[in-house]
Amino acid sequence: MPTESGSCSTSRQAKQKRKSHSLSIRRTNSSEQERTGLPRDMLEGQDSKLPSAVRSSLLELFGQIEREFENLYIENLELRREIDTLNERLAAEGQAIDGAELSKGQLKTKASHSTSQLSQKLKTTYKASTSKIVSSFKATTSRAVCQLVREYVGHRDGIWDVSVARTQPVVLGTASADHTALLWSIETGRSLVKYTGHAGSVNSIKFHPSEQLALTASGDQTAHVWRYAVQLPTPQPAADSSQVSGEDEVECSDKDEPDLDGDASSDCPTIRVPLTALKSHQGVVIAADWLVGGKQAVTASWDRTANLYEVETSELVHSLTGHDQELTHCCTHPTQRLVVTSSRDTTFRLWDFRDPSIHSVNVFQGHTDTVTSAVFTVGDNVVSGSDDRTVKVWDLKNMRSPIATIRTDSAINRINVCVGQKIIALPHDNRQVRLFDMSGVRLARLPRSSRQGHRRMVCCSAWSEDHPVCNLFTCGFDRQAIGWNINIPALLQEK
């Protein structure tokens, strides 16, 4: 019995020490809270060059950080108490069953296993809390440099493509599965012209480099060239996105979609007949684009071919064959007679028409799933996106391997590159839009919450570098296009 009484007295002494230790810690913690409260009050009273909204946001963030670490501190104390209790229990068990010849090695192994479990719990809690803090910083950064300016609502089905006119007046164009294409006032969000000449889904829209002409590709196996004339309405104040900028990003269901059944484009002028129809494909025409100069156009089809046309006469100049499966996209170089086509066969091909007598073909292999799009950038680079959740940057002088690879968590749709700043906009199946630079560094993610952003798959993105109101546009299968203002200098500075 002396052994038991000795162990009990030892246990009481240990508990008293822990109790006095915990009380001293609590007193220290409370005094620290009092001390940390003083600088904050002083900070709020000091003059600052920061805007009041920014200062209040910073104070709120620092308050969140303080609360998170305070919770971590308290949890740490609790875990330490559990460890001490467990060690005492194991020590008591070791003495009580000494007659059972329990080896010290087994006892140490059991104690070590229990301690490691508690240690792992502490690490998991810490990582979860710190990741929450980092996420709040990233979300705040994205809202500061990426602001929703305007929503363009009027289509009755998903929007496949979005494009910005390259001539004055600068308008926005959208191509939709509702068999129509719409032109919009960027500043007001009003629809200006509706094109209804197609008998199938309108899959892409591109503007002529120097005239008021639009080129649309359709599921009716044709591409149409049509002329438009618009008069821009008086600009109205942009939507105030600051009211929703402080909200946490949440997942939205299809039930959250706004009621878009009302046709907002019914009162705008309608064009029903094309200027020129490009016919020769035997399947869906999924994309079309103008060659430099605007006298020729290229189309990509599900019949596994791409066709080059003389626009004025609708004459087929070349039929580009070689892909093993359906084509998904085509793009032309802004200054040279180069075309790139992408396909479900996991490749994209570069077609060179600079020499009229011969055109060369280069095949780029590097993706493991459908290449959804490939686009040119400044110089000799091509950027490709794929359903394999990667984006690759290629040098046309070295086709064997990409010079940069971006790995994401969702399939990537039609990408677009801000040529002047070399920023890539990635629209995803999971409703996100992310911005990367050409070296693969992530710059930002466009805000998405219950009140702003896309609610379904984002199909396409388009930059308009010089527009004062919106310089990035996205569209999706939630039947709307969105105009964003990206503070590019701030974005690159944070990089």
Side-chain angles (χ1 to χ4, degrees):
M1 299 307 291
T3 304
E4 293 181 2
S5 62
S7 64
C8 290
S9 63
T10 304
S11 177
R12 282 196 299 271
Q13 291 175 2
K15 288 182 179 178
Q16 289 175 357
K17 288 182 180 179
R18 287 197 309 275
K19 189 173 183 180
S20 61
H21 178 64
S22 64
L23 288 174
S24 64
I25 289 176
R26 288 176 183 172
R27 285 196 295 270
T28 304
N29 188 28
S30 62
S31 62
E32 287 177 355
Q33 289 177 350
E34 292 173 0
R35 287 197 300 270
T36 54
L38 290 175
R40 178 177 298 180
D41 295 336
M42 293 173 62
L43 178 62
E44 290 176 348
Q46 289 178 353
D47 293 335
S48 174
K49 295 182 180 179
L50 292 174
S52 58
V54 175
R55 292 181 67 240
S56 60
S57 178
L58 284 173
L59 289 173
E60 182 181 355
L61 281 174
F62 284 122
Q64 292 178 9
I65 294 172
E66 182 182 1
R67 289 190 293 272
E68 290 291 341
F69 278 101
E70 184 179 355
N71 292 334
L72 281 174
Y73 183 73
I74 295 172
E75 290 179 9
N76 190 7
L77 292 178
E78 294 295 331
L79 288 173
R80 285 180 181 176
R81 293 191 189 99
E82 291 182 19
I83 292 174
D84 292 339
T85 304
L86 180 62
N87 287 335
E88 288 180 4
R89 188 187 308 158
L90 291 175
E93 289 177 359
Q95 291 187 8
I97 58 176
D98 189 38
E101 296 183 354
L102 180 64
S103 67
K104 292 183 179 180
Q106 291 175 330
L107 186 61
K108 289 181 179 179
T109 302
K110 187 176 181 181
S112 175
H113 177 68
S114 301
T115 305
S116 64
Q117 285 183 331
L118 291 172
S119 176
Q120 185 63 36
K121 181 180 178 181
L122 177 61
K123 289 179 181 178
T124 303
T125 305
Y126 175 77
K127 287 181 179 179
S129 300
T130 52
S131 64
K132 189 187 299 183
I133 296 170
V134 172
S135 298
S136 66
F137 271 118
K138 287 184 177 180
T140 304
T141 300
S142 296
R143 295 187 190 105
V145 300
C146 310
Q147 293 186 347
L148 186 151
V149 178
R150 187 75 64 192
E151 294 179 341
Y152 304 89
V153 179
H155 281 292
R156 303 179 67 86
D157 208 336
I159 303 176
W160 293 118
D161 199 18
V162 62
S163 183
V164 182
R166 292 182 274 180
T167 59
Q168 295 294 333
V170 178
V171 296
L172 182 70
T174 53
S176 172
D178 65 5
H179 299 193
T180 70
L182 285 175
L183 304 187
W184 307 81
S185 165
I186 293 177
E187 291 81 2
T188 66
R190 287 182 52 190
S191 55
L192 305 174
V193 172
K194 177 193 286 188
Y195 180 72
T196 61
H198 285 291
S201 169
V202 184
N203 301 319
S204 80
I205 181 169
K206 288 291 183 291
F207 290 96
H208 192 276
S210 59
E211 299 182 42
Q212 291 189 5
L213 296 174
L215 171 65
T216 50
S218 174
D220 62 9
Q221 303 184 7
T222 69
H224 289 179
V225 177
W226 42 279
R227 187 178 296 277
Y228 63 90
V230 296
Q231 183 176 0
L232 295 181
T234 304
Q236 297 175 353
D240 184 7
S241 60
S242 61
Q243 296 179 356
V244 295
S245 63
E247 295 183 357
D248 294 332
E249 295 189 10
V250 298
E251 293 297 322
C252 308
S253 65
D254 295 341
K255 296 179 181 179
D256 297 325
E257 288 190 30
D259 184 11
L260 305 180
D261 291 336
D263 192 353
S265 61
S266 58
D267 57 346
C268 68
T270 301
I271 301 174
R272 296 180 173 83
V273 180
L275 191 65
T276 303
L278 309 178
K279 304 176 181 178
S280 60
H281 282 294
Q282 303 302 313
V284 169
V285 182
I286 195 65
D289 202 359
W290 301 91
L291 261 71
V292 58
K295 294 183 179 180
Q296 293 180 325
V298 62
T299 57
S301 172
W302 283 3
D303 64 9
R304 305 184 182 184
T305 68
N307 289 340
L308 183 66
Y309 294 92
E310 198 73 38
V311 173
E312 186 175 355
T313 62
S314 303
E315 177 187 357
L316 177 62
V317 180
H318 289 293
S319 184
L320 312 178
T321 59
H323 281 292
D324 296 330
Q325 294 189 41
E326 294 92 334
L327 274 65
T328 58
H329 191 250
C330 65
C331 180
T332 60
H333 195 280
T335 60
Q336 303 183 60
R337 290 176 57 81
L338 298 172
V339 176
V340 62
T341 56
S342 53
S343 170
R344 291 184 61 190
D345 62 10
T346 74
T347 71
F348 67 94
R349 295 178 176 237
L350 174 68
W351 310 82
D352 190 346
F353 297 102
R354 288 175 292 188
D355 187 344
S357 60
I358 185 173
H359 64 272
S360 60
V361 182
N362 294 315
V363 182
F364 291 75
Q365 297 176 327
H367 290 287
T368 59
D369 205 337
T370 298
V371 181
T372 53
S373 63
V375 297
F376 289 99
T377 67
V378 173
D380 296 324
N381 290 336
V382 171
V383 182
S384 60
S386 171
D387 280 344
D388 65 8
R389 304 182 180 183
T390 68
V391 172
K392 298 179 183 291
V393 182
W394 306 78
D395 188 346
L396 297 182
K397 299 176 182 177
N398 181 14
M399 304 176 297
R400 295 183 179 179
S401 60
I403 59 178
T405 298
I406 302 170
R407 305 187 186 281
T408 69
D409 59 354
S410 178
I412 297 155
N413 297 310
R414 291 181 177 176
I415 60 178
N416 197 260
V417 178
C418 178
V419 176
Q421 303 295 338
K422 298 183 179 180
I423 301 176
I424 312 169
L426 310 184
H428 290 281
D429 274 0
N430 66 359
R431 300 173 284 182
Q432 302 286 357
V433 180
R434 296 182 174 94
L435 306 181
F436 288 80
D437 68 8
M438 295 287 289
S439 61
V441 176
R442 176 175 163 176
L443 302 177
R445 181 182 67 180
L446 299 191
R448 186 175 64 83
S449 70
S450 60
R451 296 179 59 187
Q452 66 172 339
H454 289 286
R455 298 167 180 84
R456 288 192 180 182
M457 175 181 70
V458 188
C459 300
C460 182
S461 59
W463 288 93
S464 176
E465 300 180 45
D466 299 327
H467 199 277
V469 178
C470 304
N471 54 4
L472 177 63
F473 299 90
T474 57
C475 66
F477 223 63
D478 55 359
R479 297 180 281 175
Q480 67 174 339
I482 298 178
W484 306 85
N485 182 271
I486 311 299
N487 189 339
I488 293 179
L491 194 69
L492 298 177
Q493 184 178 3
E494 291 178 0
K495 169 187 170 182

